[in-house]
Amino acid sequence: MEQQATAPRPPAGHPSAPDPLSPLDIEQAEAAIVEHYPRLVRLGYLVLPAGLGRNRRVLTAHALVQRSLPRNRVSLVECAPDAVPGPRGPEERRNDDPGYAYVRLRVVRGALAAGRPRGRLWPPRPGLLPPPLPQVWGLRLFPRSGGADELALDQALGRLSPPARAAFVLRALELPSDREVRALLAAAGVAEPGAALAEAAAVRVPAGSRDGSLLESAEFDACSLQARPTDLMRRRQHLRAAAAALAAAVVCGGLLAVPGGGWGPDGAAAPAYARNAAAEQALDPGRLTRAPADAWRRADRPGFASWPARGDRTDDEALLRRALSVWARPGSTVQVTATPGTPAGPAPGPPQLLYAGAVDSAVVVLLYDGLRVVRYAEPRNGDATAAALDFARTDAADEDAATAVVLGRTDGNVRYLTAPWVSSAAVRDLLDPAGAAQPLHRGADGVTDPTAGPAAAGDCRSWPVLQLGGRLATDLGELVPARLTSGAPASGAAGPDRTAAGAAERAVWAHTACLLPSLRSQGVRSVNAWEFARQPLPGGAGVAEWLCTRAETWRGAGGRAVAGFLTPGGRPGAQAAVVARAEDTPACGARQPHVLAGALWKSPGGNRYALAAGSPDVVSITATGGVRGTGAGPLLALPAGQGAVARLAGRTRDGKRVAALK
């Protein structure tokens, strides 16, 4: 029980205003980084020196945020919080979150350090060197260009000193008063915060900032980027020189390793000139398997194996041969990606053709070998050297999991190829549970029109999902969308029986949808969210909801469970406060359909309580440590002191012990 949840914060000066917290746990800082990552990166980008150039500023801003995680528990005196975090929406609780205050201070401190001058004999500061991570090779990344007002403001900020630039940005985006800005600058190492504020106040803001700060525009968004190549001629020269040096090193090393008797036998390996019949068959487009158009109707378990071959290029043998050859031997110019746990090797035999056709500006081939779905894409202009190859693990995919595959992404929009058994397609906003589904047109071959992907909603103001018949699925940046379900997991079952398409299930998902960005590119097969308890709050403050969200992966390992706490009175799409999370755990799933979590809560009257809740099969909860007590049933509420830390344990009806998520 390492996160804290509170009732809505009283106004400043109120007698029940909260006091400073206990030491900060690394989990609080991690949660703040995940929830507010785009905002923190924007802050670092704006405070960094303009002389770095936009590409270096982007990468350095991301590096500053990613390195802001503490190594262990730290004192909150460093970030000087003045509030206890509460289970409210991101905008309302951001400045009250000690984890966010800590990482924000680290980001500002690092960005200011990069802008301080150094002596001639001193090495450059870390911010002036290319960050070790993240790195992007062969591309220059920079935010989208804004208008004349944004350009004028950027030039004005570039003329400010680093402390004044930080003061201007903090006043415009983060802190409501100069006193708080002055305190943060002092904590970040600024010698004269007052002078920095005075210099920032003299900046003339362009007249275009009518509806809000210009600093919130796409011009300064270091997470929504454009890509351009680096100097291609110089890069080619460097690559040739590096290849020649590597070849020379390999030859010299090989000569030194050769024994006196020659290279010696190859053991069980076949000679280099031997031919492998299975590998040759996998390269023959004439041997591709194709399912009949109605195979899915007769299949015992419909899946990718019962998809028919669709598209307008299924008879293009030259295209299919290129796709199979690149799969078997991807060249150095091929961009290869694979979801975690997915082998990227060649097919063991002739694969199955799912699709071949033109998609926007590319030509796409989808193949399936029983374990993986593979997408080959090449430019539509015929330049086959600029190809891409993507692998996604899909073994044991059934009718619910094999509903769609991503054909292509362009400018934040996604096209899908839907399964032949999908009767209808629509798009919903997961954060608007009462909103109507918008129909999504599909062609005769099952290809949808372009639709906005979740990546376009970086601030989590909306989260578009697919509704395919009675199933919901969401794009998490991979070939196969993750299925969304809702309902208590049944012991020994493959998953919840309910889908997430009903009104009650969508209402639950609206409170946890903003957890989905942290699951991108993790090989997620399905995500289940359910309300495992409702708890009357002490003092008649209403009824709180306890939610559990669990992600399952295609590789069968790495399951993630997150517990959320939601106080009454919020809007329908208000996000639940994350109070516990666990990695590589069976909790809250079919193997272990139990869950127990706790949180510290402060009532409107100023009293603090340790709250705990378990799934319906929990019959008793015991608290030890900073709070002691035992209660019968799945709910527990005990008076607690400020910063109290309790250890929770529960028991089920059959006597099994249930550990709390942490």
Side-chain angles (χ1 to χ4, degrees), residues 338-342 391-395 401 474-483 516-527 551-560:
T339 58
T342 304
F391 295 85
R393 184 170 174 175
T394 58
D395 48 319
T474 186
D475 177 22
L476 294 180
E478 300 176 358
L479 277 183
V480 181
R483 186 190 176 203
L516 291 173
S518 64
L519 302 176
R520 282 194 176 103
S521 303
Q522 299 297 315
V524 174
R525 175 184 182 133
S526 63
V527 189
E552 301 278 357
T553 64
W554 284 99
R555 58 190 180 276
R560 176 185 300 182

Side-chain angles (χ1 to χ4, degrees), residues 89-112:
E91 294 297 327
E92 293 84 351
R93 72 171 186 270
R94 187 180 63 250
N95 288 328
D96 293 343
D97 185 356
Y100 179 78
Y102 176 81
V103 296
R104 177 178 61 192
L105 174 62
R106 297 258 299 186
V107 170
V108 173
R109 181 180 295 163
L112 288 174

